[in-house]
Amino acid sequence: MEALFEQKRQQSKLTIDQIFTHPFETLNSFGNARFQETLRHQFNDDAFRDAFLNYLIHLCKDTVDDDQRLVRFLAVGRIKGLTLWITVGNAPYNIFTDTATLDNIFSNPLNTVNY
């Protein structure tokens, strides 16, 4: 799965920085329309979602700078927390349609009271 995600990321010309600064908008840019349909269908599957998060962890491990690696690992935690909040906690957001709002929550987690 990680190889597939990486292939789609490269085909989409998405940078690793984009993934860790705007993860939900970036997720919406992965691959072509057919792959997007697959993502939307499979993202509620725990194993699929975990495979995607493991892919992000793999990207973190490949980061050369130690400080940046820590920042990216913490970002994976926030991404996982938000996806769990939506899928398990029944938050009123959709990972694929509320990308700007979710990226804002991701970037400013202490301001989530307003959501």
Side-chain angles (χ1 to χ4, degrees), residues 29-94:
S29 302
F30 258 72
N32 57 22
R34 185 171 180 203
F35 187 71
Q36 277 296 311
E37 184 180 326
T38 301
L39 278 178
R40 290 170 196 264
H41 179 73
Q42 291 293 106
F43 218 78
N44 288 325
D45 179 307
D46 292 340
F48 185 87
R49 192 172 51 252
D50 285 346
F52 184 75
L53 292 168
N54 285 337
Y55 165 69
L56 296 181
I57 289 169
H58 176 79
L59 292 178
C60 291
K61 290 191 287 188
D62 288 345
T63 304
V64 176
D65 181 90
D66 286 337
D67 291 338
Q68 188 67 19
R69 187 178 305 125
L70 173 60
V71 168
R72 288 180 176 174
F73 270 111
L74 293 172
V76 172
R78 288 197 318 271
I79 293 166
K80 183 170 186 169
L82 284 168
T83 59
L84 287 173
W85 178 54
I86 293 164
T87 58
V88 177
N90 297 317
Y93 300 104
N94 181 294

